[in-house]
Amino acid sequence: MTARRRYITTTIPYVNAHPHLGFSLELVQADTLARHHRQRGEQVRLLSGTDDNSLKNVLAAEAAGVDVQSFVDRNADAFAALRGPLALSFDDFIRTSSDPRHRVGVERLWRQCASSGDLYRKEYEGLYCVGCEQFYTPDELVEGRCGEHGTEPQLVAEENWFFRLSRYADRLHQLISSGDLRIEPAARRNEVLALIGRGLHDFSVSRSHSRAHGWGIPVPDDPSQVVYVWWDALGNYVTSLGHGTGDSAYDQWWETSERRVHLVGKGVVRFHAVYWPAMLLSAGLPLPTDILVHDYLTVGGRKISKSAGTSVDPAALAATYGTDALRWWLLRDVPRVGDTDFTPDRLTTRADADFAGGLGNLVHRIVTMVHRFRGGVVPASAPVNSGGLALVDVCREAPGLVDAALADFDFRRAIHAVWEIVEEANRCIDWTRPWELAREERRGNGEAAKQLDTVLVTLVTACRVLADELRPFIPDAATRITGQLTPVEGLLPAAQPLFPRLHEDVQPE
């Protein structure tokens, strides 16, 4: 049987500054899903990248006194370099200003929508937020300001190309309400349905060449205009697969893939759940199957943002506290719904409790007992499924619980299912008291010897299951755990501390 194919994507961030922790949440979530589904035997393609063709990038480059291409290349390099500090496993990384696949794909998508009669040119005046790269109506503002950035939008008047979004309102409502286009969590789905229910208006999909400072992809057959950054950026999900070039990857991962999954932040749901599906309907292309929405990370109650001055450097955090600790906090402490405030103290407290005091301590105890009571040899003949140990049942049930939680885009629930193994293993040790069984064995009690074998092999097997189920979440730590539980010339390696205890007074530079 051919393995299921799953195409997973992150959004592509503007590169007007270096990456911050807020986007790292999405990267780590996407990577965890990709690793999990690969481990379950699916074929997975994970895409990330950078949104280079933005007016924000142009203005930031001008402020820095650097030419735009050099500026975006430098910052895009910083985003791509997060692969190491965050232990990411993306299969592809697209840069919209320089990847040769992108422009031809955007042009192809534009012409497909034009052929459907959905592009037209008209004069327009509106309130434009540079931070969002979006026009707003007055009733969408908060006391005259953008709700996302807190800035007053600019009044812009020009002639642009428009897309007939209004044509697709009924179809989008049907797709989303039926679940054919799945939006999670439900609160975000309901927001999108309410937005559509209020009526959809055609939106501008180009900017004048002069206002864009000449930066961006020219509109096909109209060099006086450049393609609007959101149209350009949304296309990356198919241009990266060679849409418009005849590349077989497009058919494999978009046309015939069982799941096409977008991870997005709550601030860009409108673009991904309304604009993008409408563009695809117009072009006659398949839609995404899943749009998974996360909320924001905050610092002192304010959204982590490059422009707001609340940026937190994820590479510096990983260098200071470790990749495992950073990924763990993002997945363990950030809820499915609701913003989450970040502090280094919360990260270190979680890591010390769960790693040094929990997981690391458990593995160390078990390996030490195998060495102490069996000379480092894991009993081979003891039946793991005997003895009435609840730990066996917990290990058997954990994979299914993890599958169900991640299907619901709930990382905390998935980790809770895995962590039940840690807690039940500790209860197993407390209940069976292996040291007392060893004492009885030395007194010649053969039944105690058999029980001790059963307990030890069950504990070792449980930790191996634990490492396997933790691998998508903390791959580096899982590899260390597996190494500690893998015999070398018949013996387990001597017990070693797997996790350092982090000090609260250590701060990243």
Side-chain angles (χ1 to χ4, degrees):
M1 179 180 293
T2 304
R4 286 168 54 91
R5 289 190 298 274
R6 186 177 298 259
Y7 180 42
I8 301 174
T9 71
T10 72
T11 54
I12 54 174
Y14 299 132
V15 289
N16 57 312
H18 275 221
H20 62 65
L21 186 63
F23 183 60
S24 298
L25 169 65
E26 186 173 304
L27 288 171
V28 170
Q29 288 178 336
D31 180 76
T32 300
L33 290 178
R35 289 178 181 273
H36 169 77
H37 290 292
R38 290 188 194 114
Q39 189 165 302
R40 295 297 194 253
E42 293 187 25
Q43 296 181 36
V44 175
R45 184 183 180 98
L46 174 60
L47 169 72
S48 191
T50 54
D51 183 356
D52 302 351
N53 296 328
S54 164
L55 181 58
K56 290 177 69 170
N57 301 337
V58 174
L59 297 177
E62 290 178 351
V66 181
D67 72 275
V68 182
Q69 190 66 65
S70 298
F71 181 84
V72 300
D73 285 347
R74 182 182 66 198
N75 285 342
D77 285 343
F79 279 90
L82 289 176
R83 175 188 285 273
L86 298 181
L88 304 175
S89 62
F90 47 76
D91 302 288
D92 194 5
F93 191 93
I94 188 168
R95 298 178 178 181
T96 59
S97 68
S98 57
D99 195 307
R101 297 171 295 177
H102 188 62
R103 177 169 175 169
V104 66
V106 168
E107 291 173 343
R108 172 64 173 158
L109 187 62
W110 183 280
R111 293 187 189 280
Q112 287 174 307
C113 292
S115 296
S116 296
D118 288 329
L119 297 178
Y120 63 95
R121 188 163 174 161
K122 77 168 187 176
E123 293 183 355
Y124 183 77
E125 181 178 279
L127 299 170
Y128 188 75
C129 174
V130 175
C132 294
E133 295 276 15
Q134 178 184 348
F135 281 102
Y136 284 103
T137 60
D139 61 351
E140 291 177 316
L141 301 175
V142 180
E143 297 181 349
R145 295 178 178 270
C146 166
E148 186 77 9
H149 293 93
T151 56
E152 293 184 4
Q154 304 171 358
L155 181 63
V156 173
E158 64 182 18
E159 187 174 352
N160 298 143
W161 286 92
F162 274 70
F163 175 74
R164 297 186 194 278
L165 180 65
S166 55
R167 176 178 288 180
Y168 296 97
D170 291 344
R171 180 71 175 132
L172 288 173
H173 195 283
Q174 185 274 328
L175 286 165
I176 294 168
S177 59
S178 68
D180 289 338
L181 174 53
R182 174 178 173 245
I183 302 173
E184 291 289 346
R188 300 299 172 206
R189 180 182 68 247
N190 293 337
E191 287 177 8
V192 174
L193 290 172
L195 172 65
I196 296 171
R198 290 193 295 269
L200 296 181
H201 304 285
D202 298 351
F203 69 98
S204 172
V205 294
S206 73
R207 299 292 180 262
S208 69
H209 184 273
S210 59
R211 190 156 71 86
H213 298 231
W215 183 253
I217 297 174
V219 168
D221 306 316
D222 186 358
S224 70
Q225 299 270 307
V226 298
V227 177
Y228 170 47
V229 64
W230 274 103
W231 179 286
D232 171 337
L234 288 165
N236 93 92
Y237 303 126
V238 294
T239 66
S240 61
L241 301 173
H243 176 62
T245 69
D247 192 328
S248 62
Y250 170 76
D251 181 72
Q252 179 182 7
W253 294 105
W254 193 262
E255 287 283 347
T256 62
S257 186
E258 283 82 1
R259 308 304 296 184
R260 297 174 292 276
V261 183
H262 295 328
L263 273 73
V264 308
K266 66 179 180 180
V268 296
V269 173
R270 174 200 301 248
F271 301 99
H272 289 82
V274 179
Y275 293 5
W276 174 231
M279 291 162 57
L280 292 168
L281 288 171
S282 175
L285 305 181
L287 272 58
T289 57
D290 306 82
I291 298 174
L292 307 179
V293 186
H294 62 83
D295 286 356
Y296 289 148
L297 296 183
T298 59
V299 170
R302 298 173 61 205
K303 175 192 171 188
I304 292 180
S305 166
K306 299 185 290 287
S307 58
T310 53
S311 185
V312 178
D313 184 351
L317 286 175
T320 302
Y321 303 117
T323 298
D324 294 324
L326 178 54
R327 284 181 64 111
W328 191 247
W329 185 84
L330 291 170
L331 298 166
R332 173 83 144 138
D333 279 16
V334 176
R336 187 168 179 255
V337 177
D339 295 345
T340 306
D341 209 57
F342 169 80
T343 66
D345 180 67
R346 288 175 179 170
L347 185 152
T348 57
T349 298
R350 172 59 73 186
D352 283 347
D354 286 358
F355 287 170
L359 182 59
N361 182 59
L362 173 66
V363 175
H364 193 276
R365 290 177 76 188
I366 292 170
V367 173
T368 298
M369 287 190 292
V370 172
H371 276 274
R372 180 180 175 188
F373 303 139
R374 291 295 180 264
V377 178
V378 179
S381 58
V384 178
N385 61 347
S386 68
L389 299 178
L391 180 57
V392 176
D393 295 331
V394 171
C395 289
R396 183 177 60 251
E397 294 166 359
L401 294 173
V402 171
D403 290 349
L406 292 184
D408 287 341
F409 194 48
D410 194 333
F411 296 93
R412 293 177 80 183
R413 199 173 95 219
I415 285 178
H416 177 76
V418 179
W419 207 250
E420 278 293 307
I421 299 176
V422 175
E423 295 179 346
E424 188 56 43
N426 280 318
R427 286 192 287 267
C428 177
I429 293 171
D430 293 341
W431 178 59
T432 60
R433 305 180 72 82
W435 50 92
E436 292 186 359
L437 292 174
R439 187 182 306 122
E440 289 300 311
E441 179 186 23
R442 289 194 295 272
R443 293 172 178 170
N445 186 332
E447 186 59 33
K450 293 179 181 179
Q451 291 177 10
L452 181 57
D453 280 348
T454 296
V455 170
L456 292 177
V457 75
T458 301
L459 289 169
V460 169
T461 301
C463 283
R464 289 171 177 163
V465 173
L466 184 61
D468 285 343
E469 293 303 315
L470 284 174
R471 196 170 306 280
F473 303 93
I474 42 174
D476 295 346
T479 297
R480 294 198 301 276
I481 296 169
T482 298
Q484 184 72 90
L485 298 167
T486 301
V488 177
E489 297 182 352
L491 303 179
L492 291 186
Q496 299 290 333
L498 293 174
F499 302 98
R501 184 168 290 278
L502 303 177
H503 300 293
E504 294 180 351
D505 57 350
V506 174
Q507 298 292 329
E509 296 181 0

